[in-house]
Amino acid sequence: MDRVRSAFNSMIKSERYSRFTLQPADDGETHVEVKLSDGATEAGDQAGGSPSFRPAPPRYLLGYLCHHETREESVNCGTEPEGKMVTPPVVAPTPEVPLYQLLTQKLTSRAFDKTLRDFDLPRRSAGSVEDRSLANRIFDQFKKAEMEPWTDIHYVQLQMPDRCLQAYRGKLVYGNYGRQEDLDVLQKQNIELKDNVLLLRAGKISFAEQVDNAATKGASAVLIYPDVQDYKYVADTELYGHVHLGSGDPYTPGFPSFNHTQFPPTQSSGLPKIPAQTITAKMALALLNKIGGPEPDASSGFKGDLPSVAYSLGGSENITVEVNNVLVNQEIHNVFGVIKGFTDPDQYVVLGAQRDAWGEGFAKATVGTSILIELAKAVREMVENDGFRPRRSLVFASWSAGEYGSVGATEWLEGYMSSIGKRVFTYISLDGVVMGSGSFIASASPLLHSLLENTMREVKCPFGSGTVYDVVGASNWEAKTLRPMSMDDPAYPFLAFSGIPSISFHFISPNTEAYTYYGTILDNKEHLNYATSHRTSEMVASAAQFAGQMALRLVHDHLLSLDSGQLKGVNPNWLNRARGSFQRAAASIKTDIQNTDLNDKEACRILNDRIMSVEHSLLSPYVSPIETPFRHLLLGRGSHTLASIAETTDMGQLHIQLALATWNLQGCANAMEGNLWDIDEEI
């Protein structure tokens, strides 16, 4: 058992996807230079620069995209096709213009000054009149840009404040952040948790994880407050959040909430079994002054910075918790617009932003929505006026009910699961991209690590001299920049539920991992201006340029800018053989790339299909999306994941899960090989 656990821990720590990078680099790999039009050269691209193009007479393959089906039309120059005629503008030849430079010229801080003002609202809660009005405005913007917008409507169950009271009683216990190690400290002190109320300070892990840990120990309720050690704001500031250990509507787990009457009543396995309530630091101070019980050891890390408080562990004083929430059936609207590709319109990258917030939500919703609009306008102008011809499509999505756990986005994924996984090859989250100034962090599927690094090398840093890479990642960029993707990350459902390579990134203040005012009424323009040294518009413009550069690479290059598989340290022997098949399949793709004529569109499409299969094939087919929605073998959550298998103590269960993980990994390798006659059977 120790040998198996050690092997899995080694595997998890070293998991990485090997490179299919097509841009020049210093690592000695073979790379491919990609041009938009025949005969063009890429000035400056020898150093890994932005792709460039010379406008040329267009050759089209127009695609019709909607949320029901995809249709392609072939259009010949000079021949009027059946149906709607789309006539690209005549563009005179000009000197080469790098795509990124062209995009940067359109995404200016002056443009964002206006857009941020236009979308800054005092209220925008999910399903409200304000939210619906904002959705209509975004729809109109997409329509004005001729992006053929559509709306995706869902009917979801959301918690709303109400006078209805539910009361819960128990002895009050202080449990620090509510992590497993914190609760272990309490048990070592013989502090009873069963049927008692846990007082926890916010931070380190999500609200949902805190409540789940407490419920596992038998607590009756949870109170969560912001300690001044972690949150530097006034003591009566309230926290907002959700405690669903999952995403989407928890009352339609695994299937879409189009119409509740067509599905039997059920609940997500991630719904908390006990009530939870946030309180202010001022309220927590009063409780901690009366809690009683032993004091924690100085080395335990339990003590915060509330004044004149010993942070005693409690367990002796009774408390009653009243919860004033009620379930409401809300209609929410997701809004989409599309810029169609000219070669492979049925393959697309999605850029998405949360539209709703409990308060103003300036950093959480206004910034992302503004970037969504300006980026869509900029790329559309490049297509209409500058001769840019993206090979693949870009879909721009405005989500509702993000505050409740990516509800709108997850319902869309659930509603079109069978087609999305085959056509969406990357998701770029625009949520929280500006939280400050001075540092940069990101969470991404390993398939996108090379794209992230290359983009950091190309985008000018808004708070230093040189590129983002020069300022924050010149040495050991991965350790400085990359963070694990948490369940609270808006990109997580795309990766762990749908198997879509996904990324989120954040410009942030140095030595911090989160924005202090997220999830509070203080998330407004003034506080973000302070965090960015009054350069919010410049920071937002840079974030838009960063997202736009990644998107352009993904829709422009002949081959997708995605990495693929390398897994190390896997045992026992038969799982190790599956890993070998996986790596041989990855090597096969790399060899085929080197031996393929990239002007052969069909050959490129076959290679791209194989590359796109990697992430989706890592979704376990052996677990139910209702009980275990995050099915990803490496990055999901549940007993099927390698992280969970490494901690299994039941030998029978270990044997079963190892077998399933082996065939999950082997299935991914088979999908990467493509042809049946090329499948590696060495297992």
Side-chain angles (χ1 to χ4, degrees), residues 384-401:
E384 286 293 315
N385 304 326
D386 302 311
F388 175 47
R389 297 292 179 264
R391 288 181 173 84
R392 305 171 193 91
S393 300
L394 296 101
V395 173
F396 296 82
S398 173
W399 312 114
S400 186

Side-chain angles (χ1 to χ4, degrees), residues 153-165:
I153 301 176
H154 297 274
Y155 300 88
V156 298
Q157 300 283 330
L158 303 178
Q159 291 275 357
M160 295 292 179
D162 189 77
R163 295 180 181 178
C164 179
L165 295 179

Side-chain angles (χ1 to χ4, degrees), residues 593-653:
I593 288 174
Q594 294 169 349
N595 296 330
T596 296
D597 178 6
L598 295 185
N599 291 315
D600 186 333
K601 294 181 180 180
E602 181 60 25
C604 284
R605 184 171 179 97
I606 291 172
L607 284 172
N608 286 336
D609 286 344
R610 291 168 64 187
I611 296 171
M612 287 171 60
S613 72
V614 177
E615 203 80 81
H616 191 266
S617 297
L618 285 171
L619 296 180
S620 173
Y622 307 111
V623 295
S624 164
I626 296 177
E627 294 298 323
T628 311
F630 301 132
R631 297 178 292 147
H632 201 288
L633 179 67
L634 303 177
L635 306 171
R637 186 182 181 93
S639 60
H640 65 288
T641 64
L642 297 186
S644 177
I645 295 172
E647 298 176 356
T648 300
T649 57
D650 184 316
M651 286 302 296
Q653 185 68 15

Side-chain angles (χ1 to χ4, degrees), residues 2-115:
D2 290 340
R3 180 174 65 85
V4 172
R5 184 172 292 108
S6 175
F8 267 85
N9 285 334
S10 173
M11 176 181 180
I12 293 163
K13 290 178 181 177
S14 63
E15 122 209 345
R16 179 61 193 269
Y17 297 70
S18 67
R19 298 187 173 189
F20 285 135
T21 313
L22 302 180
Q23 290 74 38
D26 299 324
D27 54 11
E29 293 182 11
T30 301
H31 298 280
V32 180
E33 293 184 31
V34 181
K35 304 173 181 62
L36 183 65
S37 57
D38 295 338
T41 59
E42 294 191 42
D45 215 31
Q46 296 301 314
S50 172
S52 56
F53 70 94
R54 175 177 291 124
R59 294 168 294 185
Y60 339 114
L61 184 62
L62 301 181
Y64 176 77
L65 172 68
C66 75
H67 60 299
H68 292 300
E69 61 183 6
T70 300
R71 177 170 60 87
E72 296 181 14
E73 296 180 62
S74 295
V75 182
N76 298 318
C77 291
T79 302
E80 183 175 345
E82 293 182 4
K84 181 180 178 180
M85 179 66 180
V86 180
T87 306
V90 177
V91 182
T94 63
E96 285 188 345
V97 181
L99 286 179
Y100 173 60
Q101 180 180 329
L102 187 61
L103 182 69
T104 301
Q105 292 170 358
K106 298 178 183 298
L107 297 172
T108 65
S109 58
R110 178 176 297 180
F112 279 106
D113 277 338
K114 181 179 186 305
T115 308

